[in-house]
Amino acid sequence: MSISGIGNYRDVLFQWQGQQLKSTGSETAKSSAANSLSSLFSGSSMTNQISSMVELTKYAMDAMGVSSNSRVTFSQITRYREQLQSEFSQAVKAGLAETGISDLSGLSFSLDKDGKISAIGSNAADRKAAQAWLDANPSFGKDLRASLTEAGVDADSAVEFRLSSSGRMSVVNTAASGLQSALDGKADLTKDLRAGIEKLGVSLETPLEFGFDAEGNLAVKGSPDAGASINQWLQDNPELADALKEELGKRNLETSDVSLRLGKEGNLQVSVNNGALSKVQTALDQNSATGKKLATGLDSLGVDPNISFSIQIGDDGSLTVVSDHPDRDKVQRFFDENPDLVKKYRQIETLSGIDDARKAMQLAPSDMRKRIQIESMASWWADSGSASSYFGAYSGGNLSLLSGLNLSV
């Protein structure tokens, strides 16, 4: 039976929890729970108590993943609870740390003609978090587009930029990145060029630079050894030049705008001289205040993994985060999106009252074993169906449980 399915003893547990809430004075949480349980058990026969514990033992073993013909002890139950508690704390700490943007440098941003900023990047979680914040703060994009238009940047052209941690916006040469991607997809062209140059006995220890001359021919720049032979090879093998011209035509670029670099290893590296980008960069630099606000806003998306908050479990099994921290809603959303962690917390809460119940009955483990004569032993099952039984206190990256509503701060 799963934790969420335990309901047989809910009425009894509510009586126990109700007595806990009525406890007053300077008693500790454990003694308060013990007195409440003692009072509760005093009106029941030992036969009924033992019968209940036999059934509850089965539930505990089921939660622990232990077969019905195995043995468990109080110390094993305690260790299992501590293991769950450690796993819960580690998962929450890691999860909260990842609620923000893990790597701002891995994102770029596209500004369309209407002033909408879109996040671009391979990390789906970072992209989603950034986009949600950008959509909630549309004024940044609209103000930035207005500034670019005022600076003479074509209002219909999309602008892509990167954002540093300090807030500097750097325009991305999309023509160069697109051309580089096209060349990378035709790696055989680089391979053939490298093989041809090596046959000519030319070393690539010093990288070679290439570009188109006034006649539109691809040629080596400068005066390297065997430069004439290299140029002749390029004319005899025009596949690279033809592929470049085709890609330049797609992007409305002139042959004079592009240059290539071939090193000892790797594909050809392309650079594009796009004069219009200088105007964009100047306009971005003049909006440094906007860049800083963007960086600050995106950086604030994460939650400090050492945040302090309390946890309540409602009668319907839902988890509620209690905290006056500004990030309380982010923490709540984190748990709403991670039901497995909520289930684990309920298991922890359930196992936390077992030893208190045994002590309340004033039975030693050895006596209990003699009484019930079963292979497995557990004394009580503190169901997690009510927020008044236990409160989780998360602080400094670790979870602890407090017994009784009046102990939660």
Side-chain angles (χ1 to χ4, degrees):
M1 182 178 293
S2 67
I3 298 295
S4 60
I6 299 175
N8 306 55
Y9 302 91
R10 188 173 299 274
D11 291 341
V12 176
L13 291 168
F14 279 168
Q15 293 178 47
W16 172 33
Q17 292 156 1
Q19 292 185 42
Q20 281 183 292
L21 292 175
K22 295 175 184 177
S23 299
T24 58
S26 59
E27 294 177 324
T28 63
K30 288 187 176 180
S31 64
S32 175
N35 290 338
S36 298
L37 285 166
S38 295
S39 176
L40 177 63
F41 285 138
S42 62
S44 302
S45 68
M46 179 58 68
T47 301
N48 290 336
Q49 294 174 25
I50 298 302
S51 176
S52 295
M53 286 188 292
V54 170
E55 293 299 317
L56 292 168
T57 297
K58 296 177 183 178
Y59 298 146
M61 294 175 69
D62 180 68
M64 296 173 66
V66 178
S67 62
S68 59
N69 60 352
S70 301
R71 293 175 180 269
V72 292
T73 66
F74 285 113
S75 61
Q76 286 174 325
I77 293 172
T78 299
R79 286 197 298 270
Y80 178 67
R81 184 202 66 198
E82 291 173 348
Q83 175 189 332
L84 290 181
Q85 198 160 315
S86 176
E87 292 173 355
F88 179 89
S89 296
Q90 293 174 7
V92 171
K93 189 172 185 177
L96 292 179
E98 294 174 358
T99 55
I101 298 175
S102 61
D103 182 17
L104 184 60
S105 65
L107 293 175
S108 61
F109 304 89
S110 177
L111 178 69
D112 68 14
K113 64 178 183 179
D114 297 321
K116 176 180 172 59
I117 301 179
S118 299
I120 304 170
S122 58
N123 187 312
D126 283 357
R127 187 174 65 248
K128 179 181 178 181
Q131 192 61 59
W133 186 86
L134 291 168
D135 290 345
N137 296 272
S139 61
F140 287 105
K142 294 185 181 300
D143 292 345
L144 190 57
R145 171 51 76 181
S147 297
L148 291 172
T149 302
E150 185 178 346
V153 177
D154 186 355
D156 291 330
S157 63
V159 174
E160 186 173 334
F161 63 92
R162 293 190 181 277
L163 185 66
S164 72
S165 57
S166 63
R168 185 176 190 274
M169 295 179 288
S170 301
V171 66
V172 175
N173 193 331
T174 54
S177 59
L179 193 55
Q180 184 65 61
S181 179
L183 278 179
D184 291 344
K186 300 176 181 179
D188 286 345
L189 296 175
T190 298
K191 182 179 178 181
D192 292 343
L193 176 60
R194 189 184 302 281
I197 290 174
E198 289 177 351
K199 284 183 179 180
L200 296 175
V202 178
S203 173
L204 288 172
E205 290 292 338
T206 300
L208 293 178
E209 304 283 343
F210 300 86
F212 287 94
D213 60 21
E215 287 74 33
N217 298 313
L218 187 61
V220 66
K221 292 183 177 181
S223 301
D225 294 341
S229 299
I230 295 174
N231 289 338
Q232 185 61 52
W233 185 93
L234 290 170
Q235 291 183 30
D236 295 338
N237 298 272
E239 293 81 8
L240 175 58
D242 292 343
L244 282 170
K245 290 178 180 178
E246 180 181 354
E247 295 297 333
L248 291 172
K250 293 178 182 178
R251 295 165 175 78
N252 295 319
L253 294 172
E254 301 294 333
T255 55
S256 57
D257 294 332
V258 67
S259 61
L260 303 168
R261 179 184 177 90
L262 182 65
K264 185 178 180 180
E265 297 178 347
N267 285 338
L268 276 164
Q269 298 300 303
V270 65
S271 60
V272 176
N273 179 23
N274 191 336
L277 295 183
S278 298
K279 185 184 294 185
V280 175
Q281 186 61 59
T282 299
L284 291 177
D285 290 341
Q286 292 173 348
N287 282 269
S288 58
T290 298
K292 290 178 180 178
K293 289 179 181 178
L294 280 172
T296 299
L298 293 171
D299 184 61
S300 68
L301 295 178
V303 178
D304 182 356
N306 293 316
I307 183 178
S308 296
F309 58 86
S310 296
I311 295 172
Q312 294 181 6
I313 295 295
D315 292 341
D316 60 353
S318 61
L319 183 149
T320 301
V321 174
V322 180
S323 176
D324 58 1
H325 194 281
D327 288 337
R328 180 266 172 199
D329 290 345
K330 296 179 183 178
V331 178
Q332 181 67 58
R333 185 164 56 250
F334 168 75
F335 281 110
D336 292 344
E337 296 174 353
N338 290 274
D340 288 345
L341 275 179
V342 177
K343 179 181 178 181
K344 180 168 289 188
Y345 174 77
R346 294 177 66 195
Q347 289 177 315
I348 295 168
E349 188 192 46
T350 298
L351 295 173
S352 294
I354 291 179
D355 198 45
D356 283 348
R358 178 188 64 79
K359 293 176 180 177
M361 292 182 66
Q362 298 181 349
L363 286 176
S366 58
D367 294 334
M368 189 177 292
R369 281 197 294 270
K370 293 176 183 178
R371 293 251 191 171
I372 61 179
Q373 296 181 353
I374 59 174
E375 295 295 329
S376 302
M377 178 185 65
S379 63
W380 193 251
W381 182 277
D383 186 82
S384 61
S386 173
S388 60
S389 58
Y390 277 87
F391 270 74
Y394 181 89
S395 180
N398 292 292
L399 173 72
S400 59
L401 279 105
L402 303 175
S403 178
L405 179 62
N406 59 334
L407 295 181
S408 179
V409 179

